[in-house]
Amino acid sequence: KGDAYGRNIRAFEPMYQVKLEQAVIGKILKASGVIRAPNISLVSEGGVAKLIAHDVKVKSSDRYEVEVGAADRNFTVNWKVEDLRLFPDDYSLTIAEQLITKWEGSVVSYHIATEIVAG
C-alpha cells in the first residue's frame, strides 16, 4: 500500500520481541566500553537469545554475553555501540524483518537501524 506520495511502504513486520531491563542494557554497554567492543549483537541460536558485546569483524575479539530470553528461530542482529545510547529505562525490544528495531520504554521510544540481520 502506498503513502500520500505514492511510495510503497511495507508494514513493520515483527520477527522477535524481548523485554530488556535497564540493568541488562547498562551492563552490556559498560562491558562494551571495558573490552573496547564496537558492536552489540542480539544472537539467537539453539532456542536462546543473548546480547553480546564484541567486534563483529574480528572473530577472536573479546566478548561479553548476557542471556536475555528464549527464541524460536535463529537470527543475528548487530548494532554499533554508539547507536544504542538510550535514555535509561526498561525497554520492550522488537526486531523487524525490515532491518529496523523498535525500543519502547516508559518515557521514550526509538527506531534504530541494524547493521545486519541473518537467520
Side-chain angles (χ1 to χ4, degrees):
K1 201 171 199 182
D3 67 3
Y5 301 100
R7 296 176 294 198
N8 188 9
I9 307 285
R10 289 183 9 201
F12 187 86
E13 299 169 18
M15 174 176 81
Y16 179 72
Q17 188 171 27
V18 65
K19 299 274 187 196
L20 297 175
E21 295 179 359
Q22 172 53 38
V24 170
I25 297 167
K27 191 183 294 188
I28 200 78
L29 289 172
K30 184 175 182 180
S32 72
V34 170
I35 64 174
R36 297 180 186 208
N39 304 99
I40 303 290
S41 299
L42 179 62
V43 177
S44 171
E45 56 188 16
V48 176
K50 298 177 185 176
L51 278 176
I52 304 172
H54 63 133
D55 186 337
V56 297
K57 295 179 182 173
V58 181
K59 294 275 186 204
S60 62
S61 71
D62 289 335
R63 54 194 292 135
Y64 180 81
E65 301 181 3
V66 177
E67 188 174 318
V68 294
D72 61 358
R73 65 189 284 185
N74 293 343
F75 62 86
T76 299
V77 179
N78 301 310
W79 299 274
K80 291 180 181 175
V81 169
E82 63 262 21
D83 292 340
L84 296 182
R85 300 295 179 205
L86 309 170
F87 180 82
D89 201 354
D90 295 340
Y91 287 90
S92 175
L93 170 61
T94 304
I95 310 293
E97 299 282 352
Q98 295 84 359
L99 305 179
I100 191 102
T101 56
K102 186 177 192 179
W103 299 72
E104 293 181 274
S106 62
V107 176
V108 68
S109 293
Y110 301 93
H111 284 86
I112 302 173
T114 62
E115 295 294 302
I116 301 168
V117 175

